[in-house]
């Protein structure tokens, strides 16, 4: 039904919020045939995360509807669920229920805390999950509280991406063993793993717990964001000596300031000099001057501006105003019934699915 490296992989998705629909979207964009099921009362849309596959509204507490879903399982390669621990089991769609029907099924579970542990049954959101991993503490300037990076780090980096990676690995394993697997994927686990380099640096004495004193947390003046003459900002990431030299040339920094880069005691003076230089031009003037250099200076763009940036345009990074995956996947249109027919489901099941209110793929 679609083009892409996962063409022919069939995914049944019990929609959660945030990281789970992101994973479903990514699998669909990679070419999988995905059917998503939304619970009654669940708000549709999800910030655009439900695109790329049909979404059917179903009441899984209804015995007949749950039977139809179970009837689809022999045709499915992957099941994703983003419920709290125990919910899928109460619906008769837990891992044991599903593997009794299809032992080859890759069953991916997406939660914040995981299926076990003292917090497993409690509510939370991205900010809570990344807080306990140490990752949020690392997102702070000296003397200021940590700033959550929207919900990109936990929900989508540590959650959705981790879930997709685990699903792909389990599919490779199944090709070898013909046996499925249950994937207990937690945002806290994934975010902790994402912080591996920081933990390694901390272990080796290269990262301090004091915010804003480290190389990558705005402690270094050549890895920071600076205000321009028009009140907008540029990002500077001139970590290596040769890139810092290019930055110094661009900003017109004197010889003494260039020597100060390796002495943290002189960083305040270097920071002040960089800030003063950046303030002499607008953001777009600096961006134009930096083109073709290795100064590692780029404009900080808004969500409105980013799709029009030359790099995004050249890479066709957006389509219809939304980010796209650059793997050449062709757009597809399908209904929920179309999907299950393509899966080879019995006609009576396809007829039952056709009765579900469905939003087509777009």
């Amino acid at each position: 039904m679609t083009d892409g490296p996962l063409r022919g992989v069939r995914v049944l998705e019990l929609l959660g919020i945030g990281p789970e629909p992101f994973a479903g979207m990514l699998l669909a964009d990679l070419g999988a045939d995905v059917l998503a099921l939304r619970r009654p009362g669940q708000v549709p849309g999800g910030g655009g995360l439900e695109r790329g596959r049909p979404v059917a509204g179903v009441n899984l507490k209804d015995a007949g509807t749950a039977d139809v879903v179970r009837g689809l399982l022999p045709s499915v390669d992957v099941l994703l669920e983003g419920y709290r621990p125990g919910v899928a089991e109460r619906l008769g769609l837990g891992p044991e229920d599903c593997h009794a029907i299809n032992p080859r099924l890759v069953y991916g579970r997406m939660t914040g805390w995981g299926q076990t542990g003292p917090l497993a049954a409690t509510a939370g959101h991205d900010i809570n999950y990344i807080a306990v991993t140490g990752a949020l503490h690392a997102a702070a300037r000296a003397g200021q509280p940590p700033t959550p990076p929207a919900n990109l780090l936990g929900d989508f980096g540590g959650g959705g991406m981790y879930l997709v990676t685990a699903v792909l690995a389990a599919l490779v394993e199944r090709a070898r063993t013909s046996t499925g697997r249950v994937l207990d994927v937690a945002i806290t686990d994934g975010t902790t793993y994402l912080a591996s380099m920081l933990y390694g640096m901390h272990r080796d004495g290269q990262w301090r717990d004091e915010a804003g004193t480290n190389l990558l947390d705005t402690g270094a003046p050549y890895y920071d964001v600076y205000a321009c003459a028009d009140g907008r900002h540029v990002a500077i990431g001139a970590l290596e000596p040769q890139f810092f030299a290019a930055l110094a040339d661009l900003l017109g920094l004197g010889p003494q300031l260039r020597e100060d880069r390796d002495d943290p005691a002189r960083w305040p003076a270097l920071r002040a000099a960089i800030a003063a230089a950046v303030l002499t031009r607008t953001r777009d003037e600096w961006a134009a001057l930096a083109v073709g250099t290795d100064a590692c200076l780029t404009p900080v763009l808004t969500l409105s501006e980013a799709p029009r940036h030359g790099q995004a345009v050249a890479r066709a990074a957006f389509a219809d105003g939304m980010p796209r995956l650059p793997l050449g996947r062709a757009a597809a249109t399908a209904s929920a019934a179309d999907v299950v027919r393509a899966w080879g489901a019995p006609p009576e099941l396809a007829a039952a699915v056709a009765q579900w209110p469905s939003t087509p793929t777009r």
Side-chain angles (χ1 to χ4, degrees):
M1 296 181 64
T2 62
D3 294 329
L6 292 185
R7 181 172 184 170
V9 174
R10 300 163 177 176
V11 181
L12 183 63
E13 179 184 1
L14 308 183
L15 273 174
I17 60 173
E20 185 283 314
F22 176 84
M25 179 186 73
L26 179 52
L27 290 172
D29 283 345
L30 287 168
D33 294 332
V34 184
L35 170 60
L37 305 182
R38 183 193 296 122
R39 296 172 291 175
Q42 188 172 356
V43 178
L49 299 181
E50 293 179 6
R51 65 183 172 87
R53 70 275 200 204
V55 179
V58 298
N59 181 7
L60 294 175
K61 293 182 180 179
D62 175 75
T65 300
D67 284 343
V68 172
V69 173
R70 281 188 283 271
L72 297 174
L73 291 177
S75 304
V76 173
D77 297 298
V78 179
L79 185 144
L80 303 180
E81 65 100 344
Y83 301 155
R84 279 205 200 189
V87 171
E89 283 82 353
R90 291 194 292 274
L91 294 170
L93 290 167
E96 291 187 7
D97 305 302
C98 294
H99 276 150
I101 298 170
N102 180 358
R104 288 173 50 82
L105 184 69
V106 173
Y107 192 110
R109 320 194 77 171
M110 181 78 260
T111 59
W113 307 111
Q115 300 293 317
T116 59
L119 296 177
T122 62
H125 282 293
D126 179 290
I127 192 171
N128 308 115
Y129 307 136
I130 67 174
V132 302
T133 69
L136 179 57
H137 184 270
R141 293 179 175 276
Q144 297 183 22
T147 300
N151 63 335
L152 301 178
L153 176 56
D155 278 353
F156 304 128
M161 284 291 192
Y162 181 25
L163 175 57
V164 169
T165 301
V167 164
L168 298 180
L171 287 172
V172 171
E173 178 189 50
R174 192 190 68 175
R176 185 177 68 250
T177 66
S178 297
T179 303
R181 177 182 283 268
V182 180
L183 306 171
D184 175 8
V185 178
I187 294 171
T188 49
D189 296 345
T191 305
T192 300
Y193 192 77
L194 285 177
S196 292
M197 187 184 77
L198 299 187
Y199 274 104
M201 295 174 71
H202 185 270
R203 178 200 62 196
D204 297 339
Q206 299 169 355
W207 191 279
R208 298 167 56 192
D209 283 336
E210 184 181 350
T213 63
N214 302 290
L215 191 65
L216 302 176
D217 66 352
T218 74
Y222 40 85
Y223 198 88
D224 205 346
V225 175
Y226 289 90
C228 303
D230 56 356
R232 293 187 287 184
H233 296 82
V234 293
I236 290 175
L239 290 172
E240 291 80 1
Q242 67 273 27
F243 301 152
F244 180 78
L247 176 70
D249 288 341
L250 184 70
L251 299 181
L253 301 181
Q256 183 58 54
L257 290 170
R258 297 173 187 240
E259 295 176 5
D260 290 347
R261 83 161 243 127
D262 295 322
D263 184 357
R266 298 183 179 181
W267 280 358
L270 179 56
R271 183 182 303 279
I274 293 175
V278 172
L279 269 175
T280 63
R281 298 181 187 272
T282 68
R283 182 198 66 178
D284 292 347
E285 287 173 339
W286 281 120
L289 288 171
V291 170
T293 77
D294 281 338
C296 300
L297 182 151
T298 49
V300 177
L301 301 178
T302 66
L303 296 181
S304 299
E305 295 171 316
R308 301 193 300 270
H309 187 269
Q311 187 67 20
V313 172
R315 298 287 295 173
F318 291 82
D320 299 324
M322 287 294 290
R324 61 173 289 276
L325 201 64
L327 291 180
R329 176 184 180 270
T333 57
S335 68
D338 291 334
V339 169
V340 298
R341 289 190 192 100
W343 289 355
E348 63 272 17
L349 289 181
V353 170
Q355 302 305 309
W356 295 345
S358 173
T359 302
T361 297
R362 54 187 176 84

